[in-house]
Amino acid sequence: AKEYRVDEGRISVTGLSRGGHASWGLVEKLPGTFAATIPIGGRPNVESFDAFEDTSVWISHNTGDPTVRWSGADRAAKAIEQAVDKSFRRFAVSVPEFERVVDTEYVFTQPDLEHHDAWTDVYTSEVFYRWLLQQKRGE
């Protein structure tokens, strides 16, 4: 950000699988840095979810994921809700219609799929990028 023209209020972090693990942890380790985090199929390795209050979150995790258990993402969503006193909008599809996520800070897509790939549908969706462009730190 120091070398390039970056809107520091719109920096986001995302990752899939092990990168999803890291995107959870970066929010905790660098509080106040990210406008949004999008952990996909990642295990939350977070001790305190307080840092998520000022960071929008889109969790994507298949309920039948045989590689990384969905229950960890579910527990993390509940811990964030408790820590920041806000609720996730939960969807049983990979990507909901934009009208359902517009102006929504906390999204949890959890389709009933029996595989680890929870990222292809999200990363190839216009809805996801439209949502991401709405996120700004401090707003």
Side-chain angles (χ1 to χ4, degrees), residues 72-86:
D74 184 52
R75 280 193 305 275
K78 290 174 181 171
I80 291 170
E81 288 174 330
Q82 190 168 41
V84 306
D85 197 30
K86 296 179 185 175

Side-chain angles (χ1 to χ4, degrees), residues 74-99:
D74 184 52
R75 280 193 305 275
K78 290 174 181 171
I80 291 170
E81 288 174 330
Q82 190 168 41
V84 306
D85 197 30
K86 296 179 185 175
S87 297
F88 275 87
R89 295 217 43 210
R90 293 172 179 254
F91 301 93
V93 296
S94 298
V95 181
E97 300 84 28
F98 182 70
E99 293 72 28

Side-chain angles (χ1 to χ4, degrees), residues 48-64:
S48 170
F49 289 92
D50 293 336
F52 288 80
E53 183 170 15
D54 297 320
T55 303
S56 296
V57 181
W58 180 319
I59 302 169
S60 180
H61 206 118
N62 297 333
T63 60

Side-chain angles (χ1 to χ4, degrees), residues 92-124:
V93 296
S94 298
V95 181
E97 300 84 28
F98 182 70
E99 293 72 28
R100 310 251 349 252
V101 296
V102 67
D103 297 326
T104 302
E105 288 181 86
Y106 298 93
V107 176
F108 190 174
T109 53
Q110 49 189 352
D112 186 20
L113 299 173
E114 301 284 327
H115 56 83
H116 187 46
D117 180 354
W119 50 87
T120 298
D121 289 345
V122 174
Y123 285 158
T124 59

